[in-house]
Amino acid sequence: MKKLLIFFLFLALILPAFSAAATNSTSRAFSLSSHCHSVRNQLKSIQVLDSHTRIFLGSSYNKLSEHFITPFNLRLVYNNQPNSQLFNLQTEFVTNRQKFNQSFTEYSQDLESLLSTSCESEPNQFLIKLDQTKKSRENLSSLVTTLKNQAKKHRQLVEEILKKYE
Amino acid sequence: MNSEEDKPKNNNLLVLGIGVLGIAVVFSFISLFLYHKSGDIYLDRSRPGFLPEKSTTSETVKSYHFPSEGKFTKTDLEEYLRELDKVINELDNLERPFSPDSLSDQNLNIAD
């Protein structure tokens, strides 16, 4: 009897949460179906803008790595002043740049898969793919922030070296 | 008599033609698969509508390249930081790249 009571109590606690989630999902799917055309157009615009951003960021990261960070560290070695912090930062920057390339490919594949799903006939499937695309975009966004912070950290360490010459 | 002798030759030619087409189709599929799988398709600027605006391509620090040899001088380091600042400022000026907000339900107008 006690076990049955506990079970019903558990059900009473858990059912409203499931019900709320189901209602929310249904309302999202309904809202999506009614705005399907504009959602698709918006996603296509985002896809084009993202492509431009990727090219710009890719060329900036390449410039930072090839024209600044790597030759700077080589020059430190040339002058017998290797700096472990700067070397570690270079390794991390290169690794994160590769992760950024990989993440962008994954995100683009998710976005393309989303765009190839019909939001009119398969709204629930579309929403699942949308949530997946959001996750991969968040991952990409955090890598962009990390890479920018690493470039700033490199600048800060170089500034400390400059102070020794003043 | 001659036309009967020509028949196997014609057949060989047909088989050769179909074979060549088959190989071309298979290799085209393989290259398209690799083009897609490697992610190069997403970086291809030649796709319609995907050409970057001139304003998004940076020209400001194109010529600068820090020499990897030579003694460190104060002037070198100052110039290095000046040029580095240009790249960092360009990154800072980019308004929230790949911001998760772009795909939010509110932005896509599918929120409750």
Side-chain angles (χ1 to χ4, degrees):
Chain A
M1 186 67 185
K2 202 175 176 182
K3 275 182 185 173
L4 203 66
L5 195 69
I6 290 170
F7 175 71
F8 279 120
L9 266 173
F10 177 72
L11 270 187
L13 279 172
I14 217 166
L15 276 178
F18 272 116
S19 165
T23 313
N24 184 31
S25 167
T26 314
S27 114
R28 272 178 93 204
F30 179 75
S31 190
L32 172 67
S33 300
S34 54
H35 295 101
C36 188
H37 190 67
S38 75
V39 169
R40 284 186 69 80
N41 283 343
Q42 226 171 323
L43 289 173
K44 279 180 185 168
S45 309
I46 289 171
Q47 191 183 35
V48 174
L49 278 173
D50 286 347
S51 166
H52 294 182
T53 310
R54 165 66 180 84
I55 289 163
F56 175 79
L57 287 174
S59 85
S60 297
Y61 297 151
N62 186 54
K63 212 181 297 172
L64 280 169
S65 178
E66 307 293 323
H67 294 196
F68 290 90
I69 299 172
T70 306
F72 192 88
N73 284 340
L74 281 173
R75 193 140 156 191
L76 283 172
V77 174
Y78 183 86
N79 284 278
N80 288 323
Q81 300 171 350
N83 183 314
S84 61
Q85 268 184 297
L86 278 167
F87 274 104
N88 290 340
L89 204 56
Q90 179 185 345
T91 312
E92 284 170 24
F93 189 85
V94 171
T95 309
N96 282 323
R97 205 182 135 214
Q98 284 165 351
K99 278 187 191 168
F100 167 77
N101 292 351
Q102 183 63 33
S103 291
F104 181 79
T105 304
E106 283 165 13
Y107 162 71
S108 300
Q109 283 167 349
D110 285 343
L111 185 57
E112 204 161 87
S113 169
L114 174 68
L115 281 166
S116 66
T117 307
S118 166
C119 46
E120 273 170 337
S121 57
E122 303 171 277
N124 288 323
Q125 187 63 22
F126 190 92
L127 286 173
I128 291 168
K129 286 188 178 180
L130 177 64
D131 291 340
Q132 174 59 40
T133 312
K134 277 181 191 175
K135 275 183 198 162
S136 43
R137 191 177 171 91
E138 271 173 26
N139 184 32
L140 192 59
S141 173
S142 79
L143 275 169
V144 170
T145 310
T146 307
L147 281 160
K148 192 165 78 176
N149 289 340
Q150 284 177 336
K152 286 181 178 176
K153 177 78 182 162
H154 171 83
R155 194 209 177 280
Q156 189 192 324
L157 291 170
V158 174
E159 210 171 6
E160 281 170 20
I161 294 174
L162 173 67
K163 278 177 191 163
K164 290 178 193 166
Y165 287 82
E166 285 175 337
Chain B
M1 184 70 183
N2 269 350
S3 64
E4 275 180 22
E5 278 176 2
D6 285 346
K7 266 187 183 174
K9 280 185 186 174
N10 285 341
N11 279 345
N12 286 344
L13 203 64
L14 194 70
V15 168
L16 184 71
I18 292 169
V20 167
L21 271 175
I23 290 168
V25 168
V26 167
F27 276 97
S28 299
F29 270 106
I30 291 171
S31 53
L32 277 172
F33 172 76
L34 291 175
Y35 178 56
H36 195 271
K37 190 80 184 163
S38 66
D40 286 350
I41 187 171
Y42 306 112
L43 305 177
D44 193 346
R45 299 175 190 211
S46 62
R47 286 192 297 165
F50 283 77
L51 282 168
E53 302 290 328
K54 276 189 178 172
S55 57
T56 62
T57 51
S58 106
E59 297 289 331
T60 47
V61 284
K62 216 171 187 177
S63 56
Y64 183 79
H65 191 294
F66 188 69
S68 54
E69 287 181 6
K71 290 259 174 211
F72 273 118
T73 64
K74 192 185 164 200
T75 322
D76 275 353
L77 288 169
E78 281 171 345
E79 190 193 5
Y80 180 85
L81 286 175
R82 258 198 317 276
E83 295 295 337
L84 184 62
D85 280 343
K86 288 180 188 172
V87 187
I88 292 174
N89 286 341
E90 281 176 351
L91 291 177
D92 275 335
N93 290 338
L94 209 61
E95 208 176 310
R96 303 188 66 206
F98 303 113
S99 157
D101 296 345
S102 308
L103 293 184
S104 70
D105 286 0
Q106 283 78 14
N107 196 47
L108 295 174
N109 214 6
I110 54 170
D112 297 335

